[in-house]
Each structure stands twice: as structure tokens, then as C-alpha cells.
Amino acid sequence: MLIFKRIKDLKSFLKKVKSTNKQIGFVPTMGALHQGHMSLIQTCNEKSDFSVCSIFVNPTQFNQTADLDKYPRTLEADTKLLIENKCDVLFVPSVEEMYPEGQKSRIKVDLAGLDKILEAAHRPGHFEGVVQVVDLLLKAVEPDKLFLGQKDFQQVKVIQKLVEQYHPQVEIISCPTQRSEKGLALSSRNARLSTDEKETALVLSKSLQQIKKAIKEGDTAEQALEKARKNFDLPHVKLEYLELRAAHDLAPINEEEANKNWVALCAAWVGEIRLIDNVLI
Ligand code: AMP
């Protein structure tokens, strides 16, 4: 695996790869890599000829400095995992390399309301930072395919808007959420949970599964949500949202629809860690 720190060097190397007609697949990450990320690398290797992974803890998408400061950084272990999973290129830019002209966002994307709901309502400026960094990364890599995790469901929708408006040649491939044996969605932030907190954190995936079952068995959306919200009445747990939305565009659901193509999404704090999860209904 080759490692690049500079956009210029990465670009000139990838130019040679592209000249041999190889399809480039790209997996952007913030590092502290786990099997969720590796599933993306594996799918990327299956569906493209050449895999590029980036590790960049993007300061502009953190709305809390403490979260940015405490974000796990494990570059050595990450590099090993990527080599084991046959990643071809790792791109690890510095903040100065990504933002030579400062961190103020210059790109404007019409997010069609995605910037007002769910994650956006609780993390002001978060998606603005995501759009800003993914745009710069796509300009650096110019991939054919972009691999994203369904774990960050709203993020996939936001990046779809960016790609439609600024990078229409890129195909987005959304990959299923990888979980622990007990159902906890894998996340870099899980490394900061104690053993007890990991057990407690199962309330997210269990509640989402409970909603799915309740809807299938004939509960209305409100009934299903109300029951599941009660699960979060636990010490050291704070529910931020638990909602059902249309899977297509995260619009409010219409109960009359015969085809319940919905997604249940939640965010909750377990101790000092904010976790998110979602399940398709
Ligand atoms: P992150 O490093 O958290 O920014 O994530 C990088 C990419 O990995 C994003 O597209 C995430 O959605 C994806 N990802 C994170 N966790 C998982 C998971 N448990 N299963 C599948 N994809 C994931």
C-alpha cells in the first residue's frame, strides 16, 4: 500500500493509474478503523479496480471541541488493517494540506432541508463541514465510485446532494451497517465506552429492532415510537431523537402509504459518548 500526505503527489500518482483504464474506488474515513470501515474497503475492492482510503479527522465537522480533541487516533493500527485488507492507497493529509486558505467553507450545496432535521438539528454546522471536506477529497481523488456506510444514513443523503450538484460522474455505493455480535453498530467512538456502557448502548439497536417489529405487527408509527422511547429512561443515557422517516429522502412519513419504505433513526448519549444508529423498516 502506498501512503500519500500531499494532494499534488496523490493526484499525479492516480493520474497514472487512471491512464491504464482502472476504475478508482474511494473510502473516506476519520480513522480509528474497525470492521465497519473494512467492509467498505472490501466492497470497494470487489466493485472497483483500485482502492483509495483517506484518513482525515476533519475539524470543520465537529461542533464540540472536546469531541474533536478526544476523537481516537490510531494511525499505526489503521495502516496495518488497511494493508491486511488490500487497500491500494492511503491518503493522510494534514489540516494545513486540506485547508491551505483557512477552514471557512466556500461551497454551497442545496441540501433540500436535510440540513435542518435529525443530526443537523442537534449538530449545528456538522453537515456543512462534511460537505466541505468530501468535496475537497473528491477533487483530490476524482474516484469513479464512492463507498459510504449506511450507519450514517443522513450523511449518505447529504453526500448524494453534493455529488448530484458538483461531482455527477461519481457513483455512490451505500454499504450495510456492521454490528457487534450483540447488535451494537460498530463505531470509532465505541472505543471510548466502558464495558458497562457498551451493554447500555445496546438500547439503540434494540429499540430500533423493536420499532421494526411493532410496525410489522400493526402498531402505528406513534405507538411504536412511544414504546421504544421509554427504553431510554436509563441512568447516564439521554435520548436526542428517535424518529421514523421516509427512507428515500428522510421526509416525514405518511402513514397511509401501503409500501412502508421507512427508516427508524436515533441518536443518544451513553455517558459522555454520542451514538447514532438506524434500521430500515
Ligand atoms: P467515519 O470514520 O466514522 O467517518 O466513517 C467512515 C465511513 O465508514 C463512513 O462512510 C461511515 O458511514 C462508514 N462506517 C462507519 N461505521 C460503520 C459501520 N458500523 N458499518 C458500515 N459502515 C460504517
Side-chain angles (χ1 to χ4, degrees):
M1 182 174 75
L2 288 170
I3 303 180
F4 293 94
K5 292 184 175 176
R6 303 248 168 222
I7 295 174
K8 187 167 64 65
D9 300 338
L10 175 75
K11 269 184 168 298
S12 72
F13 175 76
L14 289 178
K15 199 172 168 193
K16 285 184 238 151
V17 176
K18 284 170 199 164
S19 71
T20 61
N21 272 337
K22 285 203 165 113
Q23 286 237 322
I24 311 258
F26 179 39
V27 180
T29 81
M30 296 205 298
L33 301 180
H34 49 67
Q35 287 309 317
H37 299 112
M38 289 311 111
S39 74
L40 264 58
I41 297 286
Q42 286 154 14
T43 311
C44 177
N45 278 332
E46 281 161 25
K47 293 188 185 283
S48 36
D49 307 312
F50 196 88
S51 52
V52 179
C53 175
S54 66
I55 295 181
F56 180 62
V57 184
N58 174 34
T60 72
Q61 71 189 71
F62 284 80
N63 52 322
Q64 291 189 350
T65 336
D67 191 24
L68 171 62
D69 292 343
K70 289 185 184 161
Y71 201 83
R73 287 159 168 93
T74 57
L75 188 58
E76 209 174 304
D78 292 352
T79 309
K80 195 164 162 267
L81 261 185
L82 288 169
I83 293 171
E84 280 166 15
N85 284 272
K86 304 196 164 35
C87 178
D88 294 307
V89 158
L90 169 60
F91 178 47
V92 266
S94 64
V95 172
E96 295 71 35
E97 179 70 10
M98 288 302 283
Y99 300 119
E101 288 161 26
Q103 296 179 16
K104 198 174 169 297
S105 182
R106 286 170 181 81
I107 181 162
K108 289 271 166 283
V109 179
D110 176 6
L111 292 180
L114 288 168
D115 49 345
K116 308 246 168 356
I117 57 169
L118 304 164
E119 284 300 284
H122 292 272
R123 302 187 68 188
H126 169 63
F127 286 126
E128 207 175 298
V130 168
V131 159
Q132 177 190 23
V133 75
V134 175
D135 176 57
L136 294 174
L137 289 168
L138 289 176
K139 281 181 186 147
V141 179
E142 297 184 65
D144 299 284
K145 294 177 182 173
L146 174 63
F147 296 83
L148 302 171
Q150 205 178 290
K151 151 96 181 358
D152 298 278
F153 198 91
Q154 189 175 3
Q155 175 170 279
V156 176
K157 301 290 168 192
V158 164
I159 295 176
Q160 259 163 3
K161 293 282 175 209
L162 164 73
V163 163
E164 274 165 26
Q165 291 164 44
Y166 289 91
H167 305 273
Q169 70 287 0
V170 177
E171 180 188 352
I172 292 182
I173 295 168
S174 164
C175 306
T177 304
Q178 303 300 306
R179 299 177 178 279
S180 72
E181 247 171 59
K182 290 185 176 169
L184 178 65
L186 299 184
S187 162
S188 304
R189 287 188 172 87
N190 295 354
R192 293 179 54 211
L193 294 171
S194 68
T195 313
D196 283 352
E197 284 173 333
K198 275 192 187 132
E199 280 298 311
T200 308
L202 294 172
V203 66
L204 282 88
S205 56
K206 283 188 176 156
S207 300
L208 294 167
Q209 286 301 337
Q210 178 187 328
I211 291 171
K212 182 170 177 152
K213 185 159 175 271
I215 298 283
K216 281 209 172 127
E217 289 172 358
D219 269 14
T220 64
E222 223 16 76
Q223 283 166 339
L225 289 170
E226 208 181 312
K227 282 185 217 160
R229 281 185 187 127
K230 294 203 176 101
N231 300 342
F232 290 82
D233 287 336
L234 293 170
H236 313 296
V237 172
K238 192 175 149 267
L239 177 64
E240 274 194 352
Y241 63 80
L242 176 60
E243 292 190 32
L244 277 162
R245 294 269 172 169
H248 169 62
D249 57 1
L250 294 178
I253 53 165
N254 172 7
E255 294 251 19
E256 309 302 308
E257 265 169 356
N259 183 2
K260 291 190 171 30
N261 198 359
W262 299 346
V263 56
L265 310 104
C266 71
W269 289 84
V270 175
E272 291 188 359
I273 312 300
R274 186 176 183 279
L275 300 172
I276 58 170
D277 199 354
N278 66 82
V279 161
L280 286 168
I281 303 293

